[in-house]
């Protein structure tokens, strides 16, 4: 097993300018896990209710994802309901029903405790901390969060930042969390708090990577098919972490490649609702898109005589 992912497993109700879908497969661990499964072996840890459809578990198994860390509990599965306006850059939450998530108290089995690459997808930061405490030899931990937890559990999130290597946030979340509109300043604050790296996802406008020594700006992809942004952030994280877990190379150059793979996976995920695009995605399409990202961002140096 190479990548351990903990997060939500959800039934989402989503409305975008392209339609409304009720009770579809979603959740941060699901979007991240499926995306990562294109690159490495994945284990998912989460909780579902008795109402969770078997066909969704079958789909995750069809991606060779280890589901032994999923607990089934009496009650209903976590539900998120949200909508996107015309520009689709910001998710608006209509309702969050935590349901069985309120009873989620993960006790990791030995194989999962020994994971080296770990992604703590968007989840209650108290649970993220409980998972970190059980890890025996982590080499690289990344964590994600969202406004819901920044508003309700800010202090716990500070603790998470201190204990992980990388933190991934979207631009609205980092501004809210670090209380400044300036993204480089906000990233600097997170690095000061203890994170070794910060990734800021800017939706269709690309992503930024900050470490203490370096900075990288990933380009945006001119996406023409764009139906549902839900799960873009988690698909990004899945591609990013899946590639790092596969290569086990934490050099800055390799991390930059992982960011572009993350961006590629996010760009596919938004092409359709739920995990539908992931069901038909092939490795050759991923390769082609990665190379397109490279082409869009290459340019020549400016010579003095040209000025
Ligand atoms: P994103 O990649 O940020 O678009 O994440 C989308 C997924 O996050 C959806 O499939 C939701 O089920 C899940 N989600 C929504 N709210 C929360 C929350 N408060 N905690 C954890 N996961 C959530």
């Amino acid at each position: 097993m190479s990548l351990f992912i903990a997060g939500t497993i959800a039934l989402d109700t989503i409305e975008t300018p392209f339609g409304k879908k009720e009770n579809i497969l979603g959740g941060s661990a699901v979007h991240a896990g499926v995306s990562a499964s294109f690159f490495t072996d994945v284990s998912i840890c989460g909780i579902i209710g008795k109402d969770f459809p078997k066909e969704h578990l079958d789909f995750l198994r069809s991606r060779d994802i280890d589901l032994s860390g999923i607990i089934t509990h009496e009650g209903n599965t976590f539900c998120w309901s949200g909508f996107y306006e015309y520009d689709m850059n910001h998710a608006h939450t209509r309702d969050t029903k935590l349901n069985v998530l309120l009873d989620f108290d993960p006790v990791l089995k030995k194989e999962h405790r020994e994971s080296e690459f770990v992604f703590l997808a968007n989840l209650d930061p108290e649970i993220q901390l409980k998972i970190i405490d059980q890890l025996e030899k982590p080499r690289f931990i990344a964590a994600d969060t969202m406004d819901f937890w920044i508003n309700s559990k800010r202090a716990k999130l500070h603790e998470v930042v201190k204990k992980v290597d990388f933190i991934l946030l979207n631009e609205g979340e980092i501004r809210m969390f670090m209380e400044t509109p300036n993204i480089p300043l906000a990233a600097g604050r997170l690095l000061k708090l203890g994170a070794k790296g910060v990734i800021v996802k800017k939706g269709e406008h690309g992503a930024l990577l900050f470490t203490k020594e370096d900075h990288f700006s990933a380009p945006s992809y001119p996406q023409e098919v764009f139906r549902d942004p839900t799960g873009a952030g988690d698909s990004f994280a899945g591609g990013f972490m899946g590639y790092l877990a596969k290569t086990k190379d934490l050099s800055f150059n390799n991390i930059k490649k992982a960011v572009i793979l993350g961006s590629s996976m996010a760009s596919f995920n938004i092409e359709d609702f739920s995990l539908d695009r992931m069901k038909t995605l092939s490795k050759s399409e991923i390769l082609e898109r990665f190379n397109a990202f490279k082409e869009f961002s290459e340019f020549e140096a400016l010579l003095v005589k040209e000025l």
Side-chain angles (χ1 to χ4, degrees):
M1 191 240 344
S2 324
L3 176 63
F4 180 69
I5 298 176
T8 51
I9 300 168
L11 295 174
D12 290 338
T13 293
I14 291 159
E15 193 172 353
T16 81
F18 298 94
K20 183 172 179 182
K21 304 260 177 175
E22 296 192 14
N23 291 318
I24 53 176
L25 175 62
S28 57
V30 171
H31 281 288
V34 171
S35 171
S37 71
F38 284 86
F39 310 101
T40 191
D41 296 335
V42 177
S43 288
I44 286 183
C45 169
I47 188 164
I48 53 177
K50 288 263 163 72
D51 59 340
F52 194 73
K54 181 180 166 295
E55 68 190 75
H56 296 334
L57 294 174
D58 290 342
F59 164 60
L60 295 174
R61 274 191 209 100
S62 76
R63 295 285 329 150
D64 281 335
I65 297 174
D66 163 33
L67 305 182
S68 63
I70 296 181
I71 302 164
T72 308
H73 200 270
E74 208 60 58
N76 289 330
T77 301
F78 171 84
C79 287
W80 179 72
S81 167
F83 70 96
Y84 300 85
E85 282 166 9
Y86 207 63
D87 79 357
M88 293 209 284
N89 258 335
H90 303 287
H92 302 280
T93 297
R94 278 203 173 109
D95 194 17
T96 303
K97 284 195 173 63
L98 295 174
N99 294 336
V100 291
L101 197 61
L102 291 168
D103 298 304
F104 189 33
D105 189 8
V107 178
L108 308 195
K109 61 179 196 176
K110 187 168 168 36
E111 192 191 334
H112 294 160
R113 285 200 312 267
E114 290 175 347
S115 304
E116 293 188 359
F117 286 81
V118 177
F119 178 53
L120 302 169
N122 184 18
L123 185 66
D124 182 336
E126 285 191 59
I127 301 174
Q128 291 179 321
L129 287 168
K130 273 187 186 170
I131 291 169
I132 295 171
D133 286 345
Q134 294 176 59
L135 298 171
E136 289 171 6
K137 47 170 191 174
R139 213 178 131 199
F140 188 86
I141 309 177
D144 191 0
T145 194
M146 75 182 285
D147 52 359
F148 185 87
W149 303 114
I150 297 170
N151 284 327
S152 58
K153 300 205 174 175
R154 185 179 286 266
K156 290 285 169 197
L157 266 177
H158 276 251
E159 277 182 55
V160 171
V161 174
K162 286 180 187 147
K163 292 186 171 180
V164 300
D165 296 283
F166 265 48
I167 183 104
L168 286 70
L169 293 165
N170 70 34
E171 52 185 330
E173 291 158 357
I174 193 170
R175 288 188 175 112
M176 177 194 260
F177 189 24
M178 290 295 105
E179 297 176 315
T180 169
N182 183 312
I183 289 178
L185 197 64
R189 286 182 188 171
L190 283 169
L191 293 172
K192 256 202 191 115
L193 271 177
K196 293 194 190 86
V198 176
I199 291 178
V200 184
K201 299 162 286 175
K202 289 156 58 83
E204 56 183 322
H205 307 300
L208 302 171
L209 162 65
F210 298 88
T211 66
K212 284 204 175 84
E213 303 78 26
D214 288 301
H215 170 72
F216 174 63
S217 174
S220 66
Y221 180 80
Q223 182 65 271
E224 290 186 359
V225 190
F226 187 176
R227 299 185 72 211
D228 173 20
T230 311
D234 303 310
S235 305
F236 176 100
F240 175 78
M241 287 301 291
Y243 182 70
L244 290 182
K246 178 192 174 79
T247 55
K248 301 194 190 321
D249 172 357
L250 296 175
S251 65
F252 192 69
N253 269 343
N254 203 52
I255 290 177
K256 286 201 288 189
K257 274 174 99 173
V259 167
I260 299 298
L261 260 183
S263 304
S264 307
M265 296 308 285
S267 77
F268 283 118
N269 189 68
I270 65 176
E271 289 183 7
D272 211 342
F273 282 86
S274 186
L275 280 298
D276 288 358
R277 181 62 176 96
M278 295 293 168
K279 290 179 179 167
T280 59
L281 186 62
S282 68
K283 284 204 173 179
S284 57
E285 288 176 301
I286 298 172
L287 193 67
E288 202 179 303
R289 189 147 304 177
F290 181 95
N291 291 332
F293 267 94
K294 184 168 181 293
E295 253 170 54
F296 295 142
S297 48
E298 273 176 339
F299 52 88
E300 289 176 5
L302 186 66
L303 303 175
V304 180
K305 65 173 187 204
E306 291 173 325
L307 269 180

